[in-house]
Amino acid sequence: MALEKYGRFSDDGREFIITRPDTPAPWVNYISNTRYTGIVSHTGGGFSYWMDPRDSRITRFRYNSLPWDRPGRYIYVRELDGEYWSLSWQPVPKDLDFYECRHGMGYTTITTEYRNLRGEITYFVPPDDDLEIWRIRLQNKSYEERRLSLFSFVELCLGHALVDLINQPNDQHFNIVKYDREHKAIYATKNYWVTYKEATVKQPNQAWNKYVFFTTSLPIISHDGSKDAFIGKWRSESNPEGVERGVLAETDITAGDACAALHSEMTLGPHEEADFIVLLGCVDAEGYRDKAHPIIQKYLDLRNVESSFADVKRYWDSYLSSPQVETPDQNMNLMLNTWAKRQAWVTFNMNRNAGYYHGGLLFGVGMRDQCQDMMGPLLAEPDTVADRLLEVLSHQFTDGSTLHNYFKLTGQGEKTGHSDTPLWLPLAIMNYLKETGDFAFLDKTAPYQDGGEGDVRQHLERAIEYTLSNLTPNHLPKFGPGDWNDTLDYVGRKGIGESMWVAEFLCFILRESADLLERIGAAEKATYYRREYDLIARALNERCWDGEWYIRGTRDDGGVVGSSKNTEGRIFMNAQSWAVISGIALPDRASQAMDSAYRLLGTERGPQILAPAYRHPDPGVGLATRCVPGKKENGAIFNHVAAWAILAECVLGNGNRAYEYYRQTMPNNQAHDPDVYKMEPYVYSEYVTSPEHETFGQASHSWLTGSGVWMLRDGLDYILGVRPTYDGLMIDPCIPSDWDGFKITRRFRGAIYEIEVKNPNHVQKGVKRIEVNGKEITGNVLPLATEGELLRVTCILG
Ligand code: IFM
């Protein structure tokens, strides 16, 4: 398989093993305890931050110089003859005798061999303390004694990453880096810290509230705090003067570009091995020495490092333990058991913010993204999700509108008026209730962004009623400055254009909320929501059916988007898939809409978001039309959209087509030619270029995309069909007809369900018989069980 040109999954699927360093792009991983986070590439590149990659940044990264993957977390090795190299290939890219990078669950290990010296460096973040640990093992594979100089190096940012990026000549005047001889550590901070978005509005009168520490378990011979001194004039990380000289210049800085570099020496006898540790972390600025010292002492002890590393592994074993699936498709098993879950954990915690391929320094936590990302951790950590939900609800206003995004450290955000944003809150609340059955959550309270507080049920209803209060005379939602699709940003800015997709999404939320409200005795409200559902569904069917599919919207200027009347952007997938998911499509139209989408949007690598792509900028539509055709929201194979198409096909019972889309879009399939695909083969990318561009098949924006979590839930809940309902776990598979069956083990409300689904008649959908512990049950919702109970379930399709 061509994927193996650069790497493969480990046998247990928990690692992606990169076998040569010159991958088509940096392939990255995350190390994080959710407070301290590092993004680590397979060449040691990447950056670290505390809580927020914009506001509290520890190390730098030069985004615009990609694919040059710099800087990072580097260890240089230098021998007596002056030859030097780095343990992670970059930044001194020698022709290594051996190279391997294992991106695992919460850690990355890079192993290299050069000049008969094997170096293994593992990067991870322990669960309990806010630092990253580099555990290094060196092995002299020769018969000669080796005298090695070792230099550990990071380039520091210290505080607000955006200000550092755009205003470095000024920002550097506030840097402080000093070597503390008593603690044998470098400490660094910045005497100035911008904590709000518009840095120019008002000069803040404050220092960064963190101190960074950097140290190693080896005796320290020399150090540098000045990047200029370490790198030297007209040089780069590839040939730093300090390393070439063999001793560092002992610089501390009070102004200038900051780094932390430490120099140690080690002698290794023939075939001797040695371990050492490097620590990079941060503590609160107040009393920083007293705070950092115990952490440093703790983790300079290898036993504590080993036990923390075991904790990371234990955490991930537990996190991934449920659900576990066995389907006939090995790639699907890999994604559902491990990598899509891992990706969803990352998106839940890092949002669209901390990546190589996202300009997320600007965006913070997107409300809509966060509400969707919750569907991942919900499987393993519902309590964490409940807390996050309350945090998200606190960014809703009393009228039901919401911030569009917020920054974790400052709590500040923007109110943009996107027409979909408020509606994601009810979805997240209902998902939580279905998984947990914790109806008492509805009575919990959360503040409103503009003062006062309300219980969760009130937050839910206000989101819906805010959207209902903003309908046009046609009883359809206004488009506003965008809906889920951020790039349809000029369709309805004047408040006239309508979003059919928001109408469908609103219908879905109304139907689901009415079910919930009825269940908790709020019959009158439920009836109101159902009546609204009917009115909007009728408006959609009367006004928005184009003949073979549903249109995407109407424009402020009276035009239409996503219609056969258009020459570009004639059909959009979301308008078809959500017509089905929301149930608004009349039965014959539902199939016809999805068939039209299959015919007009399908490619061999998955369905396009829209087609044909826009080739002329249209100021009445917006950004999508300005983007190059075939990429991003202008006609790419947009995986988030593909995930909803899969869901819709499952609703219609088309297991073969749902699986066709699913198989096409899985990254481990997509990347069958990694030189074309370019991104990591182990996580979803936001999009893959469609045939409307010459780079067809090239992926972009890996890791931080909602498609990871939707593909996870599509696979588990809709294709395998084992999904939570308020009453219990439902079994409703929609699989390809050539499957003989599959197995899935899932924890649900404390009990374990071991489920085997058999498909003797090779159908795509339809449950014929279910037995629980040998006894047939009525219907397809499994009985609830007590904590720890194991239920063996057999389901026959037919
Ligand atoms: O819906 C958005 C998402 O919030 C961020 N990525 C792009 C999507 C479509 O515009």
Side-chain angles (χ1 to χ4, degrees), residues 121-132:
I121 178 161
T122 297
Y123 305 100
F124 73 98
V125 172
D128 300 331
D129 294 297
D130 293 347
L131 76 160
E132 62 189 75

Side-chain angles (χ1 to χ4, degrees), residues 368-369 484-487 633 638 686:
R368 79 153 81 92
D369 301 325
W484 169 87
N485 190 327
D486 290 321
T487 66
E633 284 96 334
F638 213 86
E686 184 194 66

Side-chain angles (χ1 to χ4, degrees), residues 100-153:
E100 183 187 88
C101 168
R102 291 177 176 255
H103 282 321
M105 302 290 116
Y107 66 91
T108 286
T109 299
I110 302 175
T111 308
T112 51
E113 269 181 45
Y114 188 68
R115 283 192 154 192
N116 275 325
L117 186 86
R118 189 175 173 88
E120 183 186 286
I121 178 161
T122 297
Y123 305 100
F124 73 98
V125 172
D128 300 331
D129 294 297
D130 293 347
L131 76 160
E132 62 189 75
I133 298 173
W134 311 358
R135 193 197 59 193
I136 301 115
R137 171 161 297 166
L138 294 179
Q139 188 192 7
N140 177 6
K141 295 184 82 180
S142 77
Y143 291 95
E144 284 147 34
E145 185 179 88
R146 310 283 287 274
R147 284 190 51 201
L148 308 170
S149 297
L150 301 163
F151 300 86
S152 42
F153 168 79

Side-chain angles (χ1 to χ4, degrees), residues 311-354:
D311 288 344
V312 171
K313 290 210 156 181
R314 247 193 310 279
Y315 172 79
W316 279 100
D317 285 346
S318 154
Y319 188 86
L320 298 173
S321 62
S322 169
Q324 284 289 312
V325 309
E326 264 179 63
T327 77
D329 183 331
Q330 293 311 321
N331 279 348
M332 190 167 177
N333 298 343
L334 270 169
M335 293 315 294
L336 294 182
N337 291 335
T338 307
W339 287 93
K341 274 192 212 148
R342 162 98 178 130
Q343 182 172 7
W345 186 94
V346 167
T347 57
F348 176 70
N349 288 301
M350 284 80 202
N351 320 110
R352 306 298 176 270
N353 232 3

Side-chain angles (χ1 to χ4, degrees), residues 352 358 363 366-369 372 404 420 424 483-488 574 609 632-633 638 640-641 644 686 701 704-706:
R352 306 298 176 270
H358 286 75
F363 304 131
M367 294 280 279
R368 79 153 81 92
D369 301 325
Q372 297 169 75
H404 187 61
D420 64 315
W424 294 103
D483 59 14
W484 169 87
N485 190 327
D486 290 321
T487 66
L488 300 179
N574 280 355
I609 185 172
K632 274 228 146 237
E633 284 96 334
F638 213 86
H640 204 138
V641 170
W644 289 335
E686 184 194 66
H701 292 61
L704 304 183
T705 151

Side-chain angles (χ1 to χ4, degrees), residues 224-395:
D224 267 324
S226 157
K227 185 187 140 199
D228 290 351
F230 178 76
I231 301 276
K233 280 189 285 189
W234 303 104
R235 288 166 176 264
S236 76
E237 300 93 342
S238 298
N239 57 351
E241 200 166 64
V243 174
E244 275 192 12
R245 199 171 45 231
V247 65
L248 303 182
E250 303 275 18
T251 50
D252 288 354
I253 63 164
T254 51
D257 262 353
C259 79
L262 295 172
H263 160 215
S264 306
E265 289 188 351
M266 175 186 280
T267 301
L268 281 180
H271 285 273
E272 197 184 346
E273 272 187 11
D275 293 304
F276 70 100
I277 297 158
V278 174
L279 307 178
L280 170 67
C282 69
V283 286
D284 288 344
E286 207 183 312
Y288 68 93
R289 288 182 86 251
D290 294 341
K291 286 177 179 146
H293 198 241
I295 298 175
I296 291 173
Q297 292 306 306
K298 176 175 172 187
Y299 291 103
L300 287 184
D301 182 335
L302 191 58
R303 286 167 306 183
N304 291 331
V305 168
E306 298 296 356
S307 83
S308 289
F309 189 55
D311 288 344
V312 171
K313 290 210 156 181
R314 247 193 310 279
Y315 172 79
W316 279 100
D317 285 346
S318 154
Y319 188 86
L320 298 173
S321 62
S322 169
Q324 284 289 312
V325 309
E326 264 179 63
T327 77
D329 183 331
Q330 293 311 321
N331 279 348
M332 190 167 177
N333 298 343
L334 270 169
M335 293 315 294
L336 294 182
N337 291 335
T338 307
W339 287 93
K341 274 192 212 148
R342 162 98 178 130
Q343 182 172 7
W345 186 94
V346 167
T347 57
F348 176 70
N349 288 301
M350 284 80 202
N351 320 110
R352 306 298 176 270
N353 232 3
Y356 267 35
Y357 305 107
H358 286 75
L361 293 177
L362 299 172
F363 304 131
V365 182
M367 294 280 279
R368 79 153 81 92
D369 301 325
Q370 185 72 160
C371 288
Q372 297 169 75
D373 293 342
M374 286 176 193
M375 296 187 299
L378 200 45
L379 293 162
E381 297 177 343
D383 293 349
T384 310
V385 170
D387 291 345
R388 191 69 62 84
L389 243 171
L390 294 174
E391 176 184 306
V392 164
L393 293 180
S394 72
H395 297 298

